[in-house]
């Protein structure tokens, strides 16, 4: 095979041929021969490059210059400048600026990241979670080293307390206080525990941390163990997260290898070890007392507090339980100081919060923003707004314990207290966006259905009360509700909130209460007008053929699975409401848009 | 068990190898595939396999393939970062095993990022769609 110093590839696909690539090919061959370059440069006729709109395309290798919209008269310049003198013809290069710009644009240039501040997620997507060396390279285990060798236990607790870090699992209890209470408890054995039983529908922050940066949790637990005087830690993680579990196991083994877990860490005499316990998927096991019962091997049911876990927790010993994301912040606080951390956020909510964006939003994914970032920034600037030009209706925060916030509250700065004031809560950080097609009554019903399923059944308000509420909501979405039902819902909700045993029951009515507060008109429309404003609730829908638009093509008749459409060819059809099952197949089929959903 | 000094040595060594900002012009080229649940569900495993096979087939001993967690843009998974020493990071999105050969040939071997597969191009298209 002959070796050429350059290859000229002329596209001979259909489009480029149509726009004259054959003449270009011939011109190249002719000119190269004239200039005596035929031993150095080879002209090849290739298949389609897939850049047809910019054709005819010519690519010159070895440098890979791509010329677009080439005309036969341009060939002379390419041969004399580029092939003979090695100077690419700039004016013909395809989309040079935009191409280079696009390639030069990294993640960090993206609108999605510009408003973010990543502390808990600092290493996620950057380091290899199965390689402890990469965690070390990002200053991993330096905070543990600092705490063990340069700080007293009291100083560690004070640093966390002063940072203003609050529990990221939802409640927002000051983390430092929890540490202090457990430190103050006297016992021969104490425990550190990590709540990784992430159960809110649509939330996956904790999974992401465990999968992307498991060592950050291990390091923080060891620091916590040193601070409160515990030598053992438990991570309670749901079995539905197999990759997280596997990476945790690898991380624990690697930390043992390096002596960062185990006996006499850094030669300071401090011992700490971590065990993993798998949850079997019960939502209630995310509640702290139920979680600890489950670790003990008992049935996962909550018990009344006090005594609080800081006094009597796991195996009846003082226990400090924090959420994954809370731990993910700790090492950075120890390393960079409480002042650095408390400089971010609002007056009473410091630092950042991770949110899982889901639902009707363009940029589904995971974001970490400083506390106090307005909802609007999260939904529109980071989330990229609502797909398909639909209108924003509400954002649901806090999962089954939270509530729905309407458009009017979009400028609310997100922090613990503002969300509670607005009738929702921070929760673990799921953020589900809803558009005009979502029925708010149905959303409330969905979340209540979830809590009814997940109620452990130990206390009556939660077991019976939430079920009664669900029954009422089911009546309303079927158009059989009464206005008295709304009062009953509120009465039941107030009762459940004040009497349920644990957080699951106490917060279960929140989705109903917040939708009643902000979207009462939708409830009333279902009850009084028998209409679902979002055209979502099937029982209240009606498919109607507009006679003026119907051409009688019979297409809808053919697809209707229930045989509910009657009519003759070229005459307007009619849908029999008694037979219609409201599947919507006819509406999708009709090319004349004659079928309406009301 | 490692001493504090040994840990520090590992830190320095690994930081140089990771070459996050391309400071070390003599370092290896690194291909890093997002392998969290979102990435794997979107098909990151065959993409990673594709890179390993293509790189072995070409005998590129100065290229390493690694994995990482979720960077947050789950809708663009599978995502792959290519770190080339001296020229920084390029992020590819919506990767498939079919796209791997081109990234290896054009970017890793010939040093020209495949612009149309990058996050910049994906975002550009999105804004022109609107």
């Amino acid at each position: 095979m002959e070796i050429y110093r350059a290859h000229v590839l002329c596209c001979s696909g259909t489009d480029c041929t149509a726009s004259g690539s054959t003449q270009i090919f011939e011109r190249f061959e002719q000119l190269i021969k004239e200039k005596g370059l035929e031993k150095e440069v080879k002209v090849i006729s290739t298949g389609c490059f897939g850049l047809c709109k910019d054709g005819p395309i010519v690519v010159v290798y070895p440098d890979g210059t791509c010329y677009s919209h080439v005309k036969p008269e341009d060939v002379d310049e390419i041969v004399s400048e580029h092939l003979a003198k090695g100077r690419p013809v700039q004016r013909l290069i395809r989309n040079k600026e935009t191409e280079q710009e696009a390639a030069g644009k990294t993640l960090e240039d993206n609108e999605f990241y510009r408003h973010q501040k990543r502390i808990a997620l600092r290493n996620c997507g950057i380091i290899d979670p199965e390689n402890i060396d990469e965690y070390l390279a990002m200053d991993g285990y330096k905070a543990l080293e600092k705490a063990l060798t340069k700080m007293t236990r009291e100083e560690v607790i004070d640093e966390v307390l002063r940072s203003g870090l609050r529990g990221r699992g939802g409640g927002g209890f000051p983390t430092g206080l929890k540490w202090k209470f457990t430190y103050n408890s006297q016992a021969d054995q104490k425990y550190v525990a990590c709540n990784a039983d992430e159960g809110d529908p649509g939330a996956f922050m904790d999974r992401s941390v465990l999968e992307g940066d498991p060592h950050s949790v291990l390091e923080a637990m060891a620091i916590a163990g040193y601070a409160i005087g515990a030598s053992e830690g438990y991570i309670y993680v749901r079995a539905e997260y197999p990759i997280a579990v596997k990476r945790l196991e690898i991380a624990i083994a690697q930390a043992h290898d390096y002596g960062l877990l185990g006996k006499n860490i850094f030669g300071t005499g401090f011992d700490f070890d971590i065990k993993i316990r798998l949850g079997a998927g019960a939502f209630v096991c995310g509640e702290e007392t139920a979680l600890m019962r489950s670790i003990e091997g008992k049935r996962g049911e909550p018990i009344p507090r006090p005594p609080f876990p800081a006094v009597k927790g796991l195996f009846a010993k003082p226990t400090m339980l924090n959420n994954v994301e809370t731990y993910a912040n700790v090492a950075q606080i120890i390393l960079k100081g409480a002042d650095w951390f408390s400089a971010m956020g609002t007056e009473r909510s410091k630092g950042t919060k991770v949110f899982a964006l889901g639902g009707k939003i363009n940029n589904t994914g995971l974001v970490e923003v400083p506390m106090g970032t307005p909802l609007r920034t999260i939904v529109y600037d980071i989330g990229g707004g609502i797909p398909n030009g639909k209108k924003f209706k509400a954002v649901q925060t806090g999962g089954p314990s939270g509530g729905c916030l309407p458009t009017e509250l979009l400028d609310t700065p997100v922090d613990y207290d503002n969300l509670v004031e607005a009738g929702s809560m921070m929760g673990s950080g799921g953020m589900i966006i809803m558009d005009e097609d979502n029925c708010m009554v149905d959303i409330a019903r969905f979340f209540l259905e979830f809590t009814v399923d997940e109620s452990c059944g130990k206390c009556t308000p939660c077991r019976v009360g939430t079920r009664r509420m669900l029954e009422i909501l089911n009546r309303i979405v079927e158009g059989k509700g009464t206005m008295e039902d709304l009062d009953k819902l509120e009465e039941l909700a107030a009762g459940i909130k004040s009497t349920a045993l644990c957080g699951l029951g106490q917060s279960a009515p929140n989705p109903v209460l917040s939708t009643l507060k902000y979207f009462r008109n939708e409830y009333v429309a279902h009850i009084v007008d028998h209409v679902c404003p979002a055209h979502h609730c099937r029982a209240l829908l009606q498919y109607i053929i507009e006679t003026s638009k119907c051409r009688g093509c019979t297409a809808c008749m053919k697809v209707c699975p229930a045989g509910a459409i009657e009519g003759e060819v070229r005459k307007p059809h009619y849908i029999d409401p008694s037979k219609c099952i409201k599947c919507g197949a006819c509406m999708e089929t009709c090319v004349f848009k004659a079928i309406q959903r009301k | 068990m490692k001493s504090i000094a040994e840990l520090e040595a590992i830190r320095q060594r690994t930081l140089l190898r990771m070459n996050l900002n391309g400071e070390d012009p003599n370092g290896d080229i690194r291909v890093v595939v997002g392998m969290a649940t979102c990435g794997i569900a979107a098909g990151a495993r065959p993409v990673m396999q594709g890179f390993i096979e293509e790189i072995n087939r070409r005998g590129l001993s100065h290229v390493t393939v690694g994995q990482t967690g979720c960077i947050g843009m789950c809708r663009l998974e599978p995502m792959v970062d290519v770190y080339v020493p001296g020229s920084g990071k390029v992020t590819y999105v919506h990767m498939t095993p079919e796209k791997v050969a081109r990234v290896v040939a054009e970017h890793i071997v010939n040093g020209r990022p495949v612009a149309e597969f990058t996050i910049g191009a994906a975002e550009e298209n999105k804004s022109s769609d609107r």
Side-chain angles (χ1 to χ4, degrees), chain A residues 407-481:
Chain A
T407 319
E408 303 89 84
L409 294 179
L410 264 179
D411 291 309
T412 308
V414 176
D415 71 8
Y416 290 102
D417 310 299
N418 282 338
L419 287 182
V420 169
E421 200 177 305
S424 181
M425 68 185 283
M426 183 73 82
S428 56
M431 213 177 246
I432 301 169
I433 316 296
M434 290 149 199
D435 69 3
E436 53 193 293
D437 294 340
N438 288 105
C439 167
M440 300 315 287
V441 183
D442 191 60
I443 293 290
R445 197 190 65 84
F446 166 81
F447 280 110
L448 209 60
E449 204 172 21
F450 180 85
T451 29
V452 166
D453 270 352
E454 293 294 343
S455 171
C456 74
K458 185 168 175 173
C459 72
T460 319
C462 179
R463 183 185 65 241
V464 182
T466 54
R467 190 167 284 277
R468 291 293 93 81
M469 285 180 78
L470 180 62
E471 285 164 3
I472 295 175
L473 287 176
N474 279 334
R475 279 211 297 275
I476 295 176
V477 296
E478 281 167 16
K480 295 173 187 156

Side-chain angles (χ1 to χ4, degrees), chain A residues 238-479:
Chain A
R238 48 197 319 225
E240 290 94 329
Y241 285 175
I243 298 169
V245 173
K246 187 186 124 201
R247 291 191 180 154
L248 271 175
E249 284 167 351
I250 292 171
I252 291 174
Q254 287 176 340
H256 265 284
D257 268 2
Y258 279 21
L260 297 163
L261 286 179
K263 298 274 177 218
N264 194 17
I265 298 171
F266 293 126
T268 56
F270 171 61
D271 304 337
F272 194 74
D273 210 346
I274 294 176
K275 295 190 180 99
I276 299 175
R277 288 289 178 272
L278 298 189
F283 182 64
V284 74
C285 287
E287 196 280 335
E288 61 177 9
T289 58
L291 182 147
M292 289 187 291
R293 294 297 83 74
S294 181
I295 290 181
E296 290 167 0
K298 297 177 185 144
R299 187 187 180 116
E301 280 182 347
I303 51 167
R305 293 173 304 185
F308 285 93
V311 177
K312 193 177 166 196
L314 205 49
F315 306 110
K317 302 290 182 191
T319 304
M320 212 234 359
L321 178 71
N322 285 145
N323 161 271
V324 170
E325 193 191 326
T326 314
Y327 281 125
N329 283 293
V330 168
Q332 292 287 296
I333 292 173
I334 297 297
L335 216 50
K336 297 187 178 169
D339 296 331
W340 164 80
F341 191 80
S342 61
M344 286 170 285
T346 61
E347 198 190 336
R348 298 190 53 214
S349 304
K350 301 299 186 189
T352 59
K353 178 77 191 86
V354 184
F355 291 102
L357 288 183
K360 307 282 182 63
I361 190 147
N362 276 313
N363 298 344
T364 312
L366 210 59
V367 305
E368 182 170 353
V369 292
M371 291 277 188
T373 303
L375 275 171
R376 190 183 298 277
T377 307
I378 301 176
V379 174
Y380 286 96
D381 298 334
I382 301 174
I386 318 297
N388 308 321
K390 298 274 185 178
K391 224 177 108 207
F392 171 89
K393 186 189 264 185
V395 50
Q396 211 279 349
T397 69
S401 318
C404 298
L405 306 177
T407 319
E408 303 89 84
L409 294 179
L410 264 179
D411 291 309
T412 308
V414 176
D415 71 8
Y416 290 102
D417 310 299
N418 282 338
L419 287 182
V420 169
E421 200 177 305
S424 181
M425 68 185 283
M426 183 73 82
S428 56
M431 213 177 246
I432 301 169
I433 316 296
M434 290 149 199
D435 69 3
E436 53 193 293
D437 294 340
N438 288 105
C439 167
M440 300 315 287
V441 183
D442 191 60
I443 293 290
R445 197 190 65 84
F446 166 81
F447 280 110
L448 209 60
E449 204 172 21
F450 180 85
T451 29
V452 166
D453 270 352
E454 293 294 343
S455 171
C456 74
K458 185 168 175 173
C459 72
T460 319
C462 179
R463 183 185 65 241
V464 182
T466 54
R467 190 167 284 277
R468 291 293 93 81
M469 285 180 78
L470 180 62
E471 285 164 3
I472 295 175
L473 287 176
N474 279 334
R475 279 211 297 275
I476 295 176
V477 296
E478 281 167 16

Side-chain angles (χ1 to χ4, degrees), chain A residues 157-194:
Chain A
I157 292 172
D158 187 55
E159 202 72 34
V160 177
L161 199 58
R162 280 199 308 117
S163 74
L165 176 65
R166 293 170 68 175
R168 296 293 191 248
F173 191 80
T175 306
L177 272 185
K178 225 184 217 182
W179 289 33
K180 200 172 176 181
F181 291 153
T182 325
Y183 165 82
N184 286 336
S185 292
Q186 300 299 321
D188 52 345
Q189 174 71 55
K190 296 182 192 175
Y191 294 102
V192 169
C194 173

Side-chain angles (χ1 to χ4, degrees), chain A residues 573-591:
Chain A
H573 298 344
Y574 162 76
I575 300 176
D576 182 350
S578 63
K579 287 187 190 163
C580 176
I581 57 163
K582 295 160 188 174
C583 64
C586 52
M587 197 170 159
E588 281 166 28
T589 311
C590 183
V591 290

Side-chain angles (χ1 to χ4, degrees), chain A residues 112-123:
Chain A
F112 187 73
Y113 285 97
R114 209 167 300 153
H115 304 273
Q116 295 197 44
K117 170 89 191 154
R118 293 163 82 90
I119 299 173
L121 301 177
R122 62 191 179 277
N123 293 330

